[in-house]
mmCIF file of all heavy atoms in Angstrom:
data_model
loop_
_atom_site.group_PDB
_atom_site.id
_atom_site.type_symbol
_atom_site.label_atom_id
_atom_site.label_comp_id
_atom_site.label_asym_id
_atom_site.label_seq_id
_atom_site.Cartn_x
_atom_site.Cartn_y
_atom_site.Cartn_z
ATOM 1 N N SER K 38 -20.687 -19.762 2.569
ATOM 2 C CA SER K 38 -20.468 -18.448 1.969
ATOM 3 C C SER K 38 -19.106 -17.868 2.365
ATOM 4 O O SER K 38 -18.447 -17.245 1.553
ATOM 5 C CB SER K 38 -21.587 -17.486 2.354
ATOM 6 O OG SER K 38 -21.582 -17.302 3.742
ATOM 7 N N THR K 39 -18.664 -18.113 3.583
ATOM 8 C CA THR K 39 -17.365 -17.554 3.978
ATOM 9 C C THR K 39 -16.229 -18.240 3.223
ATOM 10 O O THR K 39 -15.303 -17.582 2.777
ATOM 11 C CB THR K 39 -17.101 -17.671 5.494
ATOM 12 O OG1 THR K 39 -17.534 -18.930 5.926
ATOM 13 C CG2 THR K 39 -17.779 -16.578 6.266
ATOM 14 N N SER K 40 -16.354 -19.574 3.064
ATOM 15 C CA SER K 40 -15.261 -20.281 2.396
ATOM 16 C C SER K 40 -15.218 -19.930 0.917
ATOM 17 O O SER K 40 -14.163 -19.882 0.319
ATOM 18 C CB SER K 40 -15.393 -21.794 2.588
ATOM 19 O OG SER K 40 -16.510 -22.260 1.889
ATOM 20 N N SER K 41 -16.383 -19.645 0.315
ATOM 21 C CA SER K 41 -16.391 -19.356 -1.115
ATOM 22 C C SER K 41 -15.891 -17.940 -1.393
ATOM 23 O O SER K 41 -15.397 -17.657 -2.464
ATOM 24 C CB SER K 41 -17.789 -19.549 -1.695
ATOM 25 O OG SER K 41 -18.631 -18.521 -1.246
ATOM 26 N N SER K 42 -16.006 -17.036 -0.419
ATOM 27 C CA SER K 42 -15.602 -15.655 -0.688
ATOM 28 C C SER K 42 -14.143 -15.392 -0.280
ATOM 29 O O SER K 42 -13.592 -14.376 -0.611
ATOM 30 C CB SER K 42 -16.516 -14.679 0.048
ATOM 31 O OG SER K 42 -16.389 -14.859 1.435
ATOM 32 N N SER K 43 -13.546 -16.347 0.418
ATOM 33 C CA SER K 43 -12.182 -16.108 0.893
ATOM 34 C C SER K 43 -11.123 -15.980 -0.219
ATOM 35 O O SER K 43 -10.204 -15.195 -0.064
ATOM 36 C CB SER K 43 -11.756 -17.165 1.907
ATOM 37 O OG SER K 43 -11.610 -18.412 1.288
ATOM 38 N N PRO K 44 -11.250 -16.723 -1.348
ATOM 39 C CA PRO K 44 -10.200 -16.540 -2.360
ATOM 40 C C PRO K 44 -10.124 -15.103 -2.877
ATOM 41 O O PRO K 44 -9.051 -14.566 -3.068
ATOM 42 C CB PRO K 44 -10.626 -17.494 -3.478
ATOM 43 C CG PRO K 44 -11.494 -18.503 -2.814
ATOM 44 C CD PRO K 44 -12.196 -17.743 -1.725
ATOM 45 N N SER K 45 -11.292 -14.463 -3.071
ATOM 46 C CA SER K 45 -11.263 -13.090 -3.575
ATOM 47 C C SER K 45 -10.731 -12.143 -2.500
ATOM 48 O O SER K 45 -10.068 -11.169 -2.797
ATOM 49 C CB SER K 45 -12.649 -12.659 -4.036
ATOM 50 O OG SER K 45 -13.552 -12.683 -2.971
ATOM 51 N N GLU K 46 -11.025 -12.452 -1.254
ATOM 52 C CA GLU K 46 -10.502 -11.627 -0.158
ATOM 53 C C GLU K 46 -8.974 -11.704 -0.136
ATOM 54 O O GLU K 46 -8.304 -10.718 0.123
ATOM 55 C CB GLU K 46 -11.031 -12.116 1.188
ATOM 56 C CG GLU K 46 -12.370 -11.467 1.546
ATOM 57 C CD GLU K 46 -13.049 -12.137 2.711
ATOM 58 O OE1 GLU K 46 -12.341 -12.831 3.464
ATOM 59 O OE2 GLU K 46 -14.264 -11.976 2.847
ATOM 60 N N LYS K 47 -8.466 -12.895 -0.435
ATOM 61 C CA LYS K 47 -7.014 -13.084 -0.402
ATOM 62 C C LYS K 47 -6.313 -12.204 -1.427
ATOM 63 O O LYS K 47 -5.315 -11.590 -1.133
ATOM 64 C CB LYS K 47 -6.671 -14.559 -0.672
ATOM 65 C CG LYS K 47 -6.052 -15.229 0.544
ATOM 66 C CD LYS K 47 -5.679 -16.660 0.232
ATOM 67 C CE LYS K 47 -5.337 -17.402 1.516
ATOM 68 N NZ LYS K 47 -5.222 -18.837 1.284
ATOM 69 N N THR K 48 -6.867 -12.132 -2.642
ATOM 70 C CA THR K 48 -6.227 -11.316 -3.670
ATOM 71 C C THR K 48 -6.240 -9.836 -3.299
ATOM 72 O O THR K 48 -5.264 -9.154 -3.497
ATOM 73 C CB THR K 48 -6.890 -11.513 -5.058
ATOM 74 O OG1 THR K 48 -8.272 -11.721 -4.870
ATOM 75 C CG2 THR K 48 -6.273 -12.658 -5.803
ATOM 76 N N SER K 49 -7.352 -9.374 -2.726
ATOM 77 C CA SER K 49 -7.386 -7.962 -2.347
ATOM 78 C C SER K 49 -6.446 -7.707 -1.169
ATOM 79 O O SER K 49 -5.903 -6.629 -1.024
ATOM 80 C CB SER K 49 -8.807 -7.518 -2.013
ATOM 81 O OG SER K 49 -9.271 -8.158 -0.858
ATOM 82 N N GLU K 50 -6.264 -8.731 -0.348
ATOM 83 C CA GLU K 50 -5.328 -8.611 0.770
ATOM 84 C C GLU K 50 -3.901 -8.403 0.253
ATOM 85 O O GLU K 50 -3.155 -7.599 0.772
ATOM 86 C CB GLU K 50 -5.338 -9.891 1.604
ATOM 87 C CG GLU K 50 -5.740 -9.663 3.056
ATOM 88 C CD GLU K 50 -5.939 -10.980 3.772
ATOM 89 O OE1 GLU K 50 -4.991 -11.768 3.798
ATOM 90 O OE2 GLU K 50 -7.056 -11.219 4.277
ATOM 91 N N GLU K 51 -3.572 -9.148 -0.819
ATOM 92 C CA GLU K 51 -2.232 -9.020 -1.394
ATOM 93 C C GLU K 51 -1.995 -7.614 -1.909
ATOM 94 O O GLU K 51 -0.926 -7.057 -1.773
ATOM 95 C CB GLU K 51 -2.044 -10.027 -2.532
ATOM 96 C CG GLU K 51 -1.523 -11.364 -2.038
ATOM 97 C CD GLU K 51 -1.654 -12.459 -3.075
ATOM 98 O OE1 GLU K 51 -1.635 -12.158 -4.272
ATOM 99 O OE2 GLU K 51 -1.788 -13.622 -2.661
ATOM 100 N N ASP K 52 -3.017 -7.037 -2.517
ATOM 101 C CA ASP K 52 -2.889 -5.686 -3.073
ATOM 102 C C ASP K 52 -2.692 -4.642 -1.979
ATOM 103 O O ASP K 52 -2.002 -3.664 -2.180
ATOM 104 C CB ASP K 52 -4.142 -5.322 -3.881
ATOM 105 C CG ASP K 52 -4.188 -6.088 -5.196
ATOM 106 O OD1 ASP K 52 -3.129 -6.617 -5.583
ATOM 107 O OD2 ASP K 52 -5.256 -6.155 -5.802
ATOM 108 N N THR K 53 -3.357 -4.866 -0.850
ATOM 109 C CA THR K 53 -3.291 -3.850 0.194
ATOM 110 C C THR K 53 -2.290 -4.226 1.290
ATOM 111 O O THR K 53 -2.237 -3.592 2.320
ATOM 112 C CB THR K 53 -4.681 -3.642 0.825
ATOM 113 O OG1 THR K 53 -5.165 -4.893 1.278
ATOM 114 C CG2 THR K 53 -5.646 -3.011 -0.158
ATOM 115 N N GLN K 54 -1.514 -5.294 1.030
ATOM 116 C CA GLN K 54 -0.513 -5.715 1.991
ATOM 117 C C GLN K 54 0.433 -4.553 2.339
ATOM 118 O O GLN K 54 0.783 -3.775 1.461
ATOM 119 C CB GLN K 54 0.316 -6.836 1.367
ATOM 120 C CG GLN K 54 0.710 -7.915 2.353
ATOM 121 C CD GLN K 54 1.335 -9.079 1.619
ATOM 122 O OE1 GLN K 54 2.033 -8.885 0.625
ATOM 123 N NE2 GLN K 54 1.109 -10.280 2.096
ATOM 124 N N VAL K 55 0.783 -4.460 3.607
ATOM 125 C CA VAL K 55 1.643 -3.362 4.041
ATOM 126 C C VAL K 55 2.997 -3.461 3.349
ATOM 127 O O VAL K 55 3.637 -4.505 3.338
ATOM 128 C CB VAL K 55 1.827 -3.381 5.573
ATOM 129 C CG1 VAL K 55 2.809 -2.303 6.013
ATOM 130 C CG2 VAL K 55 0.487 -3.178 6.263
ATOM 131 N N LYS K 56 3.394 -2.367 2.738
ATOM 132 C CA LYS K 56 4.691 -2.324 2.062
ATOM 133 C C LYS K 56 5.695 -1.711 3.042
ATOM 134 O O LYS K 56 5.540 -0.578 3.479
ATOM 135 C CB LYS K 56 4.561 -1.456 0.803
ATOM 136 C CG LYS K 56 5.858 -1.031 0.178
ATOM 137 C CD LYS K 56 6.380 -2.047 -0.790
ATOM 138 C CE LYS K 56 7.648 -1.554 -1.482
ATOM 139 N NZ LYS K 56 8.136 -2.517 -2.481
ATOM 140 N N GLU K 57 6.710 -2.486 3.382
ATOM 141 C CA GLU K 57 7.714 -1.969 4.313
ATOM 142 C C GLU K 57 8.911 -1.421 3.545
ATOM 143 O O GLU K 57 9.447 -2.080 2.676
ATOM 144 C CB GLU K 57 8.141 -3.072 5.286
ATOM 145 C CG GLU K 57 6.992 -3.443 6.216
ATOM 146 C CD GLU K 57 7.434 -4.171 7.478
ATOM 147 O OE1 GLU K 57 8.539 -3.876 7.984
ATOM 148 O OE2 GLU K 57 6.676 -5.033 7.937
ATOM 149 N N VAL K 58 9.267 -0.208 3.867
ATOM 150 C CA VAL K 58 10.375 0.462 3.180
ATOM 151 C C VAL K 58 11.417 0.865 4.217
ATOM 152 O O VAL K 58 11.084 1.451 5.240
ATOM 153 C CB VAL K 58 9.880 1.723 2.439
ATOM 154 C CG1 VAL K 58 11.043 2.450 1.772
ATOM 155 C CG2 VAL K 58 8.803 1.370 1.418
ATOM 156 N N MET K 59 12.662 0.517 3.946
ATOM 157 C CA MET K 59 13.756 0.915 4.832
ATOM 158 C C MET K 59 14.610 1.946 4.117
ATOM 159 O O MET K 59 15.288 1.646 3.146
ATOM 160 C CB MET K 59 14.581 -0.335 5.204
ATOM 161 C CG MET K 59 15.774 -0.031 6.089
ATOM 162 S SD MET K 59 15.343 0.763 7.663
ATOM 163 C CE MET K 59 15.603 -0.595 8.796
ATOM 164 N N LEU K 60 14.521 3.166 4.589
ATOM 165 C CA LEU K 60 15.263 4.269 3.986
ATOM 166 C C LEU K 60 16.336 4.708 4.977
ATOM 167 O O LEU K 60 16.058 4.869 6.163
ATOM 168 C CB LEU K 60 14.290 5.417 3.695
ATOM 169 C CG LEU K 60 14.828 6.676 2.995
ATOM 170 C CD1 LEU K 60 15.278 6.369 1.568
ATOM 171 C CD2 LEU K 60 13.751 7.760 2.970
ATOM 172 N N THR K 61 17.553 4.875 4.468
ATOM 173 C CA THR K 61 18.611 5.357 5.362
ATOM 174 C C THR K 61 19.189 6.662 4.833
ATOM 175 O O THR K 61 19.145 6.951 3.645
ATOM 176 C CB THR K 61 19.766 4.322 5.495
ATOM 177 O OG1 THR K 61 20.407 4.175 4.224
ATOM 178 C CG2 THR K 61 19.273 2.976 5.991
#
Side-chain angles (χ1 to χ4, degrees):
S38 63
T39 41
S40 68
S41 71
S42 63
S43 68
S45 62
E46 272 168 20
K47 246 182 192 169
T48 35
S49 66
E50 240 171 58
E51 271 166 28
D52 288 343
T53 55
Q54 217 171 35
V55 176
K56 166 87 176 183
E57 292 199 33
V58 178
M59 178 59 107
L60 183 66
T61 65

